[in-house]
Amino acid sequence: MSDRLLFGVAVLFYAAATGYAVLLWRRGFRRDDSWCYTWLALACVPHTAALLARGFSLQRCPVTNLFEAVMFISWTVVVLHLVVGMWSRLRFLCAFGAPLLLMMGVFGLQPGLDRPAPAMEWEVTRGLVSLHAGLILLSYGTFGLGAAAAMLYLAQEHDLKFHKVRALLSRLPAMERLEKVVTGSLGVGLGLLTAGLLLTVGLMREVGVAAVRGDPKVVWSAVVWVAYAALLGLRLRHGWGPRPLAWGALGSFAFVMLTFWGTNLMSPLHK
């Protein structure tokens, strides 16, 4: 099976997980959530196989075009959900991650995104490029986990305000625990993003300082770093409440997902 076909099978599993997630939402999260987790675990198998197949064919980290970037970020998101879902009280995050994974998968399968990467005009160590791209895409996946936890927090808060009986009967995790997941995800994601951006210093030696500084993707990445650093700083240093933190995490990740593709297309270094 080709890597695209394997990824397509994974997207079908994400669709099944999303369907079960809708049932959980409609019933106020009063049903067992193990099936949603199981569908994501099943999807992770062909998804991982697709990522490995593309990586071995390229002999490097598969992030040379938008299709591969989508495949890598969504793989990070599903793996993080599976790891966090090992704790049963946090398994409901899968109900919020499944629709996100489905949308990313459907978008990634668009034929125009899987174009061969142009030959580089400069010699650069493949390992450095792969590590740089891998760390940054891992950070986006971690931010995605934080966004899913933020959605769950806001849903729980809404139920406590307007549907108190449903909130009492639901199996959602405690809001304090969700708050820790959001804060922890932002911290880990910011650390990964910082490490990935620091590797840009090494790339400057190959392509030139001016080319890197003026690149739209580099400028956009700096804006994303500042946004998440400010969000985490407001939480840890100025005692920002969990509600604005949740909205900030959700809004920041939405910004990343909506603008990532456009800045990639505008960037001569990342096309």
Side-chain angles (χ1 to χ4, degrees), residues 112-256:
L113 301 183
D114 193 14
R115 298 176 179 175
M120 293 182 177
E121 298 177 356
W122 32 271
E123 293 295 330
V124 65
T125 304
R126 285 186 175 184
L128 183 61
V129 173
S130 297
L131 183 59
H132 162 74
L135 286 172
I136 290 181
L137 294 181
L138 282 172
S139 74
Y140 298 154
T142 308
F143 291 144
L145 176 65
M151 289 177 62
L152 194 52
Y153 179 92
L154 294 170
Q156 182 80 310
E157 182 189 51
H158 180 272
D159 278 356
L160 285 172
K161 282 185 177 181
F162 302 103
H163 304 284
K164 295 183 179 180
V165 175
R166 189 170 72 180
L168 291 173
L169 294 176
S170 73
R171 298 161 56 92
L172 291 175
M175 296 177 68
E176 292 80 6
R177 190 173 300 177
L178 291 170
E179 178 188 343
K180 291 180 180 179
V181 173
V182 175
T183 305
S185 298
L186 294 182
V188 173
L190 186 62
L192 291 169
L193 181 59
T194 302
L197 291 178
L198 287 176
L199 290 176
T200 306
V201 178
L203 298 176
M204 287 182 180
R205 300 173 185 174
E206 299 290 341
V207 301
V209 176
V212 172
R213 285 182 177 175
D215 187 75
K217 190 68 175 183
V218 175
V219 175
W220 176 86
S221 297
V223 171
V224 172
W225 187 93
V226 170
Y228 276 104
L231 192 59
L232 197 60
L234 287 171
R235 173 59 180 163
L236 299 178
R237 297 295 297 272
H238 299 284
W240 237 28
R243 188 171 188 273
L245 176 71
W247 278 113
L250 194 57
S252 298
F253 186 69
F255 170 79
V256 169

Side-chain angles (χ1 to χ4, degrees), residues 251-262:
S252 298
F253 186 69
F255 170 79
V256 169
M257 288 294 99
L258 290 173
T259 57
F260 175 86
W261 331 109

